[in-house]
Amino acid sequence: LQKQAMAKKLIGGFKWMSSFDIHPGGDNIVCSAFDRRISWFDMDLSSKPYKTMRYNNTGLRSVAFHKRLPLFAAGGEDGMLYIFHGMVYNDLMQNPFIVPLKRIHAHKGAEGVMDLIFHPTQPWLFTCGVDNTIRCFTEH
């Protein structure tokens, strides 16, 4: 930061990025976009996405990793919440393992899920929406 030099530029291929989060390990980034895409970047592999997923019918507003568990989630403008298993291995020769787990109708309204965040230690996901609610989703 002192030199103010750009170290890496990631090329997502989407029009409007809405949110991103850095994996706790530091070498992976997940991005959400208003053109309905979730892109996973492995910075050790390439400046282009390792995997691009399209699960939503409308734009995605927010995305977040869990800080301790192999989970990440994305929330959409239609109120849908998508939860994924995203395992990153210590072995650099092994690619990340990404599996969709759950689709939840989280919020009602024209703009749906505005933001989301995982609890730091528990497998709980908090979301806020334009319906003026904050909701907590747990494993039960």
Side-chain angles (χ1 to χ4, degrees):
L1 289 175
Q2 286 181 342
K3 293 181 183 179
Q4 297 180 1
M6 181 170 47
K8 192 162 209 164
K9 182 177 180 179
L10 302 175
I11 302 164
F14 32 75
K15 292 181 183 178
W16 304 289
M17 184 172 63
S18 58
S19 177
F20 73 98
D21 197 16
I22 300 170
H23 188 273
D27 291 333
N28 293 275
I29 295 175
V30 66
C31 301
S32 62
F34 287 117
D35 60 354
R36 307 181 309 216
R37 295 181 191 181
I38 303 168
S39 294
W40 181 294
F41 291 90
D42 186 340
M43 296 191 16
D44 292 331
L45 290 178
S46 173
S47 62
K48 294 183 180 177
Y50 161 70
K51 188 165 194 162
T52 299
M53 301 160 279
R54 190 179 252 183
Y55 285 98
N56 206 18
N57 295 327
T58 60
L60 294 164
R61 285 203 172 263
S62 186
V63 67
F65 278 110
H66 193 285
K67 301 305 177 203
R68 293 189 181 170
L69 300 172
L71 298 172
F72 71 98
E77 290 181 332
D78 60 353
M80 297 306 292
L81 184 62
Y82 299 89
I83 302 171
F84 297 87
H85 173 84
M87 183 69 182
V88 176
Y89 299 99
N90 290 332
D91 182 9
L92 293 177
M93 298 303 290
Q94 198 166 5
N95 291 333
F97 182 63
I98 304 166
V99 178
L101 294 177
K102 194 88 172 160
R103 182 177 177 223
I104 301 169
H105 190 76
H107 293 275
K108 295 178 182 175
E111 300 296 319
V113 178
M114 295 300 289
D115 199 12
L116 56 91
I117 189 167
F118 278 99
H119 186 277
T121 58
Q122 300 296 323
W124 301 345
L125 180 61
F126 294 88
T127 63
C128 68
V130 295
D131 57 358
N132 294 324
T133 61
I134 296 173
R135 298 184 181 188
C136 176
F137 296 93
T138 65
E139 58 189 334
H140 299 290

